[in-house]
Amino acid sequence: MDSILLLAQLLLFALSALGVATSDWMRGAQEPHTLENLRNIVLSLALMLLVSRLRPQWALWAARPAFLLSLGLLLANLVVGFGPGSEKRFIDLPFTSFNIQASELAKLAVVLYLAAFFHNKPTDYPIIGPIVAVSLAAGLIVVSPDLDTGLFILILSGLLLMVIGVPWRRLAAITLTACILALSVSGLYLHRFEKVRDRFEGWSTYVSGRVNELSPEVIRGPLYQITQAHKIIVNAGLFGQGVGARMPNLPESHNDFVLAAIIWSGGWLAGFMVLLAWWLILARGLQIAANLEGASSVLALGLTLYLVLQAALNIAAVIGTIPIGGSPLPMVSMGGNSMLMAGIAMGLLQALSREAFTQTSKARGQEVTS
């Protein structure tokens, strides 16, 4: 077991428990989430331990079935899915209290699919097939409508292809094609993304300083979330207010804005611990990828980007440097689907770590022998 990855994951789980418990003590809290969050943490940890014992090659073998399954679920989501307002994000599992968020599975499936595609193939190999497949997955998510997650998948895929060395001419051609397609359908679907527009307008009002000119009665929606999160973070202080201290009302403080709840209870030091945990995962993931070759290296890099990019977008949105995007903070936000997918991703990183450093030890042993 990779002790650095395990330490970072357990630290994030502990901070998740702190943040969600703080959210339950919030003024105006509707229902408690602590027990559900603890259940999600236990399931995620169990999945990590199970997956970590398997060989990484099984993930490459299962990549295409997993990707096809995610596409099937995304299609089913458009028919039987449900969610807030007109959005379709969840599919109920029959005879259970659980539901599936197909877009969360798609994030992980895209990484597995791209890693498997480059198995025994050079990075200059024609990649029109994977691009069409990834674009299809992103498009199904966008029309659900969930623009933020669709863009996340495209950005994640683009970063992964760029880092592994896909030629710029191919990436430029792909980007141009995607922009043309986006512009061609923008008139058909733009009216469905009122939430995205509201989030951007709220963020622009916040960063421009015009929020000080508005009365409290006018501040609503995303602008309210941003300003409340800012007040909570500033007033938390170095050591925080403690779990029992009533936190000001903040919608989604158990989910997308859980970082603000953590800082309210644990202070700026707790916020630093969140950043430290993600820095450990990033550094260790890159080190694992550097010690592997071929598809295993691509997989380690993709899993690291998948987790860290989500975390970076969430943290940036909470502190107000980018518009609210709806990305959860992996292994910290309460969402069950996000927790489970992050558990699988961390289990795969553990398995890849074992493979990477076993190979390194053998290579050093051979050098000493020779």
Side-chain angles (χ1 to χ4, degrees):
M1 191 70 69
D2 191 307
S3 58
I4 295 177
L5 290 177
L6 182 61
L7 172 64
Q9 187 174 14
L10 292 178
L11 178 58
L12 290 174
F13 282 156
L15 292 168
S16 173
L18 173 66
V20 175
T22 301
S23 176
D24 286 350
W25 281 87
M26 177 183 68
R27 296 190 184 99
Q30 299 298 316
E31 56 181 316
H33 297 96
T34 297
L35 291 180
E36 183 180 354
N37 186 55
L38 292 176
R39 181 202 67 184
N40 293 340
I41 289 173
V42 170
L43 290 175
S44 181
L45 186 60
L47 264 179
M48 184 278 291
L49 293 172
L50 175 63
V51 173
S52 69
R53 306 318 303 165
L54 302 175
R55 296 186 62 188
Q57 285 70 25
W58 77 267
L60 300 176
W61 173 84
R64 182 168 295 181
F67 186 74
L68 292 175
L69 174 62
S70 70
L71 288 180
L73 289 173
L74 289 173
L75 285 169
N77 182 60
L78 297 178
V79 179
V80 299
F82 67 95
S86 61
E87 297 179 6
K88 295 184 176 181
R89 297 197 178 188
F90 303 97
I91 302 174
D92 268 330
L93 288 178
F95 312 112
T96 71
S97 59
F98 293 93
N99 55 61
I100 296 176
Q101 190 172 359
S103 59
E104 287 296 330
L105 174 60
K107 295 176 186 177
L108 181 59
V110 162
V111 172
L112 299 178
Y113 178 73
L114 290 177
F117 177 81
F118 284 102
H119 183 59
N120 295 328
K121 293 187 181 73
T123 53
D124 197 26
Y125 191 86
I127 56 173
I128 186 63
I131 293 303
V132 170
V134 170
S135 299
L136 176 60
L140 290 173
I141 294 172
V142 168
V143 300
S144 62
D146 185 359
L147 181 63
D148 303 320
T149 305
L151 289 177
F152 173 82
I153 285 180
L154 292 176
I155 294 171
L156 172 63
S157 303
L159 280 175
L160 181 57
L161 293 174
M162 181 176 65
V163 172
I164 65 176
V166 172
W168 281 100
R169 65 181 185 276
R170 295 191 186 278
L171 293 176
I174 291 165
T175 302
L176 179 60
T177 302
C179 289
I180 292 173
L181 289 174
L183 289 173
S184 66
V185 301
S186 61
L188 296 175
Y189 294 104
L190 193 59
H191 69 281
R192 303 185 66 185
F193 302 122
E194 293 182 2
K195 181 182 288 187
V196 176
R197 183 195 63 197
D198 292 342
R199 288 172 174 174
F200 182 80
E201 289 178 352
W203 173 76
S204 62
T205 301
Y206 173 77
V207 297
S208 66
R210 297 198 308 271
V211 67
N212 297 324
E213 303 170 4
L214 303 176
S215 64
E217 293 77 13
V218 177
I219 300 176
R220 293 288 184 269
L223 180 57
Y224 178 76
Q225 286 181 293
I226 296 172
T227 54
Q228 284 294 95
H230 178 81
K231 292 176 183 177
I232 287 170
I233 292 171
V234 170
N235 293 329
L238 183 61
F239 300 104
Q241 304 296 315
V243 179
R246 292 277 183 175
M247 186 178 73
N249 185 53
L250 176 61
E252 296 297 318
S253 58
H254 62 286
N255 203 353
D256 296 348
F257 280 81
V258 69
L259 177 63
I262 291 171
I263 293 175
W264 174 258
S265 285
W268 302 334
L269 286 178
F272 171 77
M273 296 303 289
V274 174
L275 297 178
L276 174 63
W278 282 112
W279 181 85
L280 289 173
I281 292 174
L282 174 62
R284 194 58 166 177
L286 295 178
Q287 186 181 17
I288 293 168
N291 282 275
L292 291 170
E293 296 179 351
S296 294
S297 178
V298 176
L299 181 58
L301 182 61
L303 292 169
T304 303
L305 288 175
Y306 155 63
L307 292 169
V308 175
L309 180 60
Q310 278 196 103
L313 291 174
N314 177 276
I315 293 170
V318 171
I319 63 178
T321 56
I322 63 172
I324 300 171
S327 292
L329 186 54
M331 292 179 283
V332 183
S333 295
M334 193 200 74
N337 285 270
S338 174
M339 276 273 194
L340 296 182
M341 292 302 106
I344 294 174
M346 289 298 290
L348 283 171
L349 276 177
Q350 287 281 1
L352 289 163
S353 174
R354 183 174 64 248
E355 180 179 285
F357 296 111
T358 298
Q359 291 178 359
T360 302
S361 298
K362 288 181 179 179
R364 289 175 179 172
Q366 292 173 354
E367 289 177 2
V368 172
T369 303
S370 60

